[in-house]
């Protein structure tokens, strides 16, 4: 956020009440903003607190000069009349704000933010920043704001050592890590602090600092390199962010010198208990562990004939005395598959492994499930695991880093995708949603747990996003990719927010209207370029939900058969007659049976399956008619021509911003739009040519196919 975003708040006279680290952060923010824009700040509160704050007295201004904003903890009174009135309304309604919520109101020319705990005050202050001038114009009745999800977490896939294949940040497209460089902590604390501030402004409250693929050096962050993690924690703490660590399941062997990592072995349990005790000694507010086990080569409990529940509970028990949680990832599948074997279906794997374990996990285990059954494709059905485990805390994992969505070289605003994911009715359009399960506010039950019981007992695990931030000048390489980080935080706080409204907020904060001579054009152009960019990306890449078709390894650019004969389990089965994966119960892998009704029937049925997922669930002839009226082959041609035309238009629109925004941002985006167009043309031509050659069916409109 440029300083200008703080002008409306910074030009006001602010009163702040309360104590604690996070309240001090609010005070410092207000001081900075008011010093720049002519307002002032008085940190009030009980007399004894003031006495501790010698410096504050000096710069506080006289009450009689009035004030425009009050930010207060409710128990720090006596408060000014306006705040007392808000408090009275809350009491009358019996409303609680929780540890992170706040109330906001405006009356008699005073804007008030009240919270029960310091984090609420911090988030309330950033709400005022988001509102800008609107926070200080018309009266506002008392509004209550509480996050939908308790845990709003980022995972960094950052390596301490530069990995020979994956580099400093696995699937990172924004330069190096902001935490690590060439085997050591960077200690560039200014950027870490600025990052923490940025994350607090969107409500993120947890962050893991290293890759889930834990290599040798990174494993030691748990023991002799714990000091590095503690130092990062010190810089995130003032912004209400708790640090988590990805750990290796084999750590008792590799770090502890034990002959085994068997979760039922008492020596292993004692090692984790003692190691975890030391972690909390160094970082008292440590959040917990993140684990990728028995997945893509990472060690896990299978080596000892134990289940994922045994493995997760081992760590959960070590963390429980300190209030920590273990995020155990459900991304488990066979990556050494034989492409000739049509019975193994990667999409089935997470459910097959985890659904039978429902009810066996400790309360402080959070099963972290990718939103789809495969791997963050631009279009996948929702993972059936999310509906299948009413007695397990589930977190839903999104990928903010754009591994499969253009790698921060393409404009691809993911707010609409995530909004669809979070709003998806797992038991039909009107039932509880993915967001309800992640938030712990609703569940439709399972064959063994009636919906009523599930609703009463479900506890949410929150939302997790794989970060897209690095040490690049623009933080996310593509300046417009910052909107994805922003949208992640806003949707974790309020999953029902409209993604276009979120984008509007981001545009106003990032390109404040006061910084350009034509704010209207800036806003309209950014919407024109970004609103539909995810669907544009979908149009010029793999069709109708079939997924992959990307270059193996890098995952950038087209390679239709790149994974077709590989062990990774990501196939499309195109031949001269048709394309798609038969995942039906009747004739295919049976995957559709992992869904509750009505989706089990809808996906099973060729007639009812939504067009956009057709090839994920069915193998069909090229002549198959879609609901749209088009055939599959004509749809492939049409969407690929349209996708490229849309990128041409995006580029044309962007060029209209010349002279209206920061030239450095303009230059970077122009350069990347050129690359996006080049890459989209490549996708179009390879996909269209491939399917034309396979099918022999010409384009109905006679356009150029090679
Ligand atoms: C961190 C995909 C990515 C891997 C990533 C993995 C995961 O397979 O390509 O780089 O590893 O997902 O989520 O663990």
């Amino acid at each position: 956020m440029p300083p200008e975003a703080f002008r409306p708040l910074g030009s006001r006279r602010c009163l702040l009440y309360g104590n604690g680290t996070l309240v001090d952060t609010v005070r410092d923010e207000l001081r900075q903003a008011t010093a720049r824009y002519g307002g002032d700040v008085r940190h009030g509160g009980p007399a004894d607190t003031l006495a501790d704050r010698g410096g504050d007295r000096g710069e506080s201004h006289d009450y009689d000069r009035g004030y425009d904003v009050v930010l207060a903890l409710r128990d720090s009174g006596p408060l000014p009349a306006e705040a007392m009135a808000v408090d009275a309304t809350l009491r009358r309604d019996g409303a609680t704000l929780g540890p992170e919520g706040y109330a906001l109101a405006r009356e008699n020319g005073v804007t008030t933010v009240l919270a029960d705990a310091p984090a609420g005050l911090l988030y309330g202050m950033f709400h005022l920043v988001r509102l800008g001038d609107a926070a200080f114009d018309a009266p506002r009745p008392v509004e209550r704001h509480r996050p939908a999800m308790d845990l709003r977490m980022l995972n960094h896939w950052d390596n301490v050592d530069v990995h020979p294949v994956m580099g400093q940040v696995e699937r990172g497209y924004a330069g190096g890590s902001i935490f690590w460089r060439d085997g050591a902590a960077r200690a560039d604390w200014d950027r870490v602090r600025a990052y923490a501030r940025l994350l607090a402004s969107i409500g993120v409250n947890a962050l893991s600092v290293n890759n889930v693929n834990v290599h040798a050096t990174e494993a030691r962050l748990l023991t002799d390199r714990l000091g590095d993690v503690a130092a990062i924690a010190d810089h995130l703490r003032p912004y209400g962010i708790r640090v988590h660590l990805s750990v290796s399941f084999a750590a008792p062997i590799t770090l502890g010198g034990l002959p085994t990592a068997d979760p039922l072995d008492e020596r292993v349990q004692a090692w984790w208990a003692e190691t975890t005790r030391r972690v909390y000694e160094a970082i008292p507010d440590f959040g917990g562990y993140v684990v990728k086990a028995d997945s893509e080569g990472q060690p896990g409990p299978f080596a000892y004939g134990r289940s994922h529940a045994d493995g997760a509970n081992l760590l959960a028990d070590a963390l429980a005395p300190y209030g920590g949680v273990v995020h155990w990832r459900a991304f488990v599948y066979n990556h050494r598959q034989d492409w000739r074997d049509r019975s193994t279906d990667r999409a089935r794997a997470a459910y097959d492994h985890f659904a039978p374990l429902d009810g066996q996990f400790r309360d402080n285990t959070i099963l972290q499930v990718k939103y789809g059954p495969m791997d963050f494709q631009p279009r996948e059905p929702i993972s059936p695991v999310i509906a299948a485990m009413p007695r397990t805390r589930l977190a839903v994992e999104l990928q903010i880093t754009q591994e499969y969505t253009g790698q921060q070289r393409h404009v691809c605003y993911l707010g609409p995708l995530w909004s669809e994911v979070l709003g998806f009715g797992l038991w039909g359009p009107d039932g509880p949603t993915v967001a309800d399960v992640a938030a712990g506010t609703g569940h439709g039950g399972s064959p063994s747990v009636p919906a009523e019981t599930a609703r009463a007992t479900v506890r949410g695990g929150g939302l997790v996003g794989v970060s897209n931030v690095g040490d690049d000048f623009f933080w996310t390489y593509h300046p417009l990719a910052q909107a994805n980080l922003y949208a992640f935080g806003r949707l974790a706080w309020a999953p029902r927010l409209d993604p276009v409204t979120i984008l509007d907020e981001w545009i106003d904060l990032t390109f404040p209207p006061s910084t350009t001579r034509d704010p209207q054009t800036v806003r309209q152009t950014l919407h024109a370029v970004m609103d539909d960019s995810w669907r544009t990306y979908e149009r010029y890449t793999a069709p109708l939900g079939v997924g992959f078709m990307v270059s193996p390894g890098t995952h950038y650019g087209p390679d239709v058969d790149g994974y077709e004969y590989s062990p990774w389990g990501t196939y499309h089965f195109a031949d001269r007659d048709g394309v798609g994966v038969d995942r039906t119960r009747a004739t295919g892998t049976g995957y559709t049976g992992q869904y509750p009704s009505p989706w089990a029937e809808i996906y099973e049925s060729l007639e009812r399956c939504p067009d956009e997922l057709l090839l994920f669930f069915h193998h069909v002839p090229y002549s198959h008619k879609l609901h749209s009226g088009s055939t599959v082959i004509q749809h492939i041609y049409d969407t690929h021509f349209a996708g490229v035309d849309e990128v041409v238009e995006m580029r044309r629109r962007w060029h209209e911003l010349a002279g209206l925004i920061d030239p450095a941002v303009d230059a970077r985006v122009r350069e990347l739009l050129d690359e996006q167009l080049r890459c989209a043309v490549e996708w179009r031509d390879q996909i269209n040519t491939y399917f034309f050659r396979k099918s022999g069916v010409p384009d109905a409109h006679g356009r150029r196919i090679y």
Side-chain angles (χ1 to χ4, degrees):
M1 282 183 290
E4 193 63 22
F6 287 78
R7 178 187 287 280
L9 180 59
S11 57
R12 263 53 190 209
R13 296 159 302 171
C14 312
L15 291 182
L16 174 66
Y17 291 82
N19 319 292
T21 310
L22 299 192
V23 179
D24 290 347
T25 303
V26 174
R27 179 201 60 208
D28 294 347
E29 285 285 344
L30 293 174
R31 275 189 185 159
Q32 259 184 53
T34 52
R36 188 184 276 261
Y37 293 110
D40 58 36
V41 50
R42 170 180 165 153
H43 192 171
D48 56 344
T49 327
L50 269 181
D52 295 339
R53 299 178 182 278
D56 287 331
R57 279 188 179 281
E59 46 186 282
S60 65
H61 70 282
D62 188 347
Y63 240 74
D64 298 340
R65 277 170 47 209
Y67 45 89
D68 310 303
V69 194
V70 179
L71 295 112
L73 289 182
R74 285 168 80 190
D75 66 1
S76 59
L79 302 175
E82 295 79 6
M84 295 303 280
V86 176
D87 186 52
T89 307
L90 294 173
R91 280 178 207 284
R92 203 185 52 231
D93 299 350
T96 51
L97 299 172
E100 297 182 305
Y102 54 90
L104 170 68
R106 182 166 173 83
E107 199 53 67
N108 298 332
V110 174
T111 299
T112 303
V113 174
L114 279 192
D116 283 340
L121 223 48
L122 182 66
Y123 296 135
M125 180 204 64
F126 281 120
H127 191 134
L128 296 184
V129 175
R130 239 180 348 257
L131 287 173
D133 284 320
F136 307 102
D137 46 31
R140 260 171 200 273
V142 179
E143 301 164 10
R144 282 189 305 277
H145 297 270
R146 289 181 67 148
M149 318 267 177
D150 291 342
L151 262 170
R152 306 174 299 281
M153 182 179 194
L154 289 184
N155 284 176
H156 274 257
W157 287 354
D158 298 15
N159 299 315
V160 177
D161 281 337
V162 177
H163 185 270
V165 180
M166 291 300 172
Q168 190 84 67
V169 181
E170 180 152 347
R171 310 305 180 187
Y173 310 103
S177 162
I178 69 165
F179 298 121
W180 317 102
R181 178 186 263 164
D182 294 335
R186 286 181 60 123
D188 178 359
W189 300 124
D190 284 350
R191 184 163 268 222
V192 172
R193 288 283 288 230
Y195 186 43
R197 176 174 185 245
L198 193 72
L199 297 184
S201 79
I202 55 172
V204 168
N205 65 0
L207 180 149
S208 60
V209 294
N210 64 307
N211 191 357
V212 290
N213 292 326
V214 183
H215 309 293
T217 302
E218 293 75 7
R220 291 170 46 210
L221 294 174
L222 178 63
T223 51
D224 56 310
R225 301 213 34 187
L226 185 58
D228 289 343
V229 184
I232 295 172
D234 286 345
H235 292 278
L236 301 187
R237 187 172 296 114
Y239 284 95
I241 299 166
R242 291 172 82 173
V243 155
H244 297 238
L245 195 60
S246 296
V247 296
S248 163
F249 196 77
I253 302 173
T254 54
L255 302 174
L258 294 178
T260 177
D262 182 349
L264 300 195
D265 187 300
E266 281 178 8
R267 291 165 300 172
V268 171
Q269 293 164 357
W271 187 86
W272 278 109
E274 174 56 16
T275 303
T276 306
R277 188 190 64 72
R278 291 209 187 119
V279 171
Y280 278 90
E281 213 168 67
I283 313 169
D285 58 351
F286 180 70
Y289 300 137
V290 180
V291 189
K292 172 175 177 177
D294 289 315
S295 166
E296 298 186 334
Q298 292 298 302
F302 285 172
Y304 310 98
R306 311 296 183 199
S307 74
H308 280 280
D310 295 329
N313 292 343
L314 165 73
L315 302 186
D317 288 345
L319 290 158
Y322 315 97
V325 293
V326 55
H327 283 85
W328 191 268
R329 295 177 84 231
F331 183 63
V332 177
Y333 68 100
N334 176 6
H335 71 286
R336 297 209 178 88
Q337 207 182 307
D338 182 350
W339 58 268
R340 299 164 195 85
D341 163 20
R342 296 285 278 254
S343 67
T344 308
D345 179 4
R346 173 167 163 179
R348 290 189 58 114
Y351 181 103
D352 286 343
H353 282 298
F354 287 95
L357 301 178
D358 187 33
Q360 295 183 27
F361 292 98
R362 300 276 192 269
D363 209 35
N364 64 329
T365 295
I366 295 174
L367 189 67
Q368 185 169 316
V369 188
K370 291 190 183 187
Y371 72 82
M374 297 297 276
D375 193 11
F376 299 130
Q377 298 305 290
R379 178 73 72 174
E380 287 187 39
I382 297 300
S383 168
V385 177
I386 302 170
M389 302 186 66
R391 289 170 296 182
T392 307
R393 278 176 85 179
L394 289 185
V396 173
E397 182 179 323
L398 307 174
Q399 196 180 40
I400 312 170
T401 193
Q402 291 172 238
E403 176 176 0
Y404 296 101
T405 50
Q407 303 202 345
Q408 280 138 255
R409 283 177 260 181
H410 296 215
V411 182
C412 186
Y413 173 51
L414 294 167
L417 163 62
W418 299 334
S419 167
E420 267 188 27
V421 166
L422 293 167
F424 181 80
L426 290 159
W427 293 269
D430 302 323
T433 61
V434 168
D436 287 327
V437 173
T441 49
H443 204 286
S446 71
S448 57
V449 181
E452 290 298 291
T453 319
R455 246 194 308 279
T457 53
V458 66
R459 206 172 151 209
L463 200 65
V464 180
V466 183
S467 177
N468 63 348
V469 161
D471 71 355
D472 167 66
F473 179 76
F474 292 107
W475 293 70
T476 53
Y477 196 66
H478 203 307
L480 304 187
Q482 294 173 11
N484 287 332
L485 182 61
Y486 186 84
F488 169 80
R490 298 293 288 132
L491 287 168
W493 184 283
R496 289 206 174 85
L497 279 177
D498 168 28
V500 175
T501 309
I502 293 176
L503 195 52
D504 230 29
E505 289 178 7
W506 177 79
I507 291 169
D508 272 0
L509 291 166
T510 311
F511 303 91
S514 55
T515 60
T516 170
R517 70 185 145 76
D518 189 353
Q520 221 20 37
T521 301
V522 170
R523 177 176 296 127
Q524 280 166 1
T525 307
L526 281 157
H527 277 296
V529 170
M530 296 176 77
D531 281 1
D532 209 29
S533 52
W534 159 56
R535 291 197 177 79
T536 294
Y537 186 83
E538 181 186 21
R539 282 179 199 115
Y540 62 75
T541 54
L544 296 165
V546 76
F548 285 85
M549 300 192 171
V550 289
S551 302
T554 65
H555 297 170
Y556 186 73
D559 187 343
V560 182
D561 281 339
Y563 277 109
E564 197 56 13
Y565 306 101
S566 87
W568 294 92
T570 52
Y571 311 121
H572 56 68
F573 301 118
D575 59 21
R576 66 179 184 178
D577 300 318
V579 55
V581 192
D582 184 354
R583 293 193 159 106
T584 63
R585 301 190 286 291
T587 51
T589 68
Y591 168 76
T592 58
Q594 295 186 341
Y595 286 90
S597 191
W599 299 111
E601 298 83 47
I602 292 174
Y603 293 146
E604 176 80 5
S605 154
L606 192 53
E607 290 71 39
R608 296 174 71 196
C609 183
D611 283 352
E612 69 273 12
L613 289 171
L614 183 71
L615 302 184
F616 192 93
F617 286 106
H618 297 274
H619 186 91
V620 297
Y622 294 113
S623 58
H624 176 85
K625 261 262 176 76
L626 298 169
H627 297 117
S628 67
S630 190
T631 60
V632 165
I633 190 71
Q634 194 56 42
H635 173 93
I636 291 175
Y637 299 149
D638 289 347
T639 48
H640 285 78
F641 283 113
V644 169
D645 291 349
E646 285 159 21
V647 178
V648 170
E649 179 61 9
M650 279 157 83
R651 190 158 154 273
R652 189 191 68 76
R653 289 297 298 263
W654 182 266
H655 282 222
E656 288 176 1
L657 288 184
L660 292 180
I661 59 163
D662 177 353
V665 173
D666 185 28
R668 175 70 67 87
V669 176
R670 275 173 187 244
E671 177 194 322
L672 291 175
L673 279 166
D674 288 351
E675 163 56 17
Q676 181 167 3
L677 181 56
R678 183 205 64 76
C679 190
V681 167
E682 202 56 38
W683 269 102
R684 177 195 67 191
D685 291 342
Q686 287 203 28
I687 296 272
N688 284 349
T689 302
Y690 179 94
F691 284 105
F692 172 62
R693 289 182 185 173
K694 282 267 175 197
S695 70
V697 179
D699 171 33
H701 306 295
R703 288 163 293 193
R704 180 100 197 255
I705 296 177
Y706 296 85

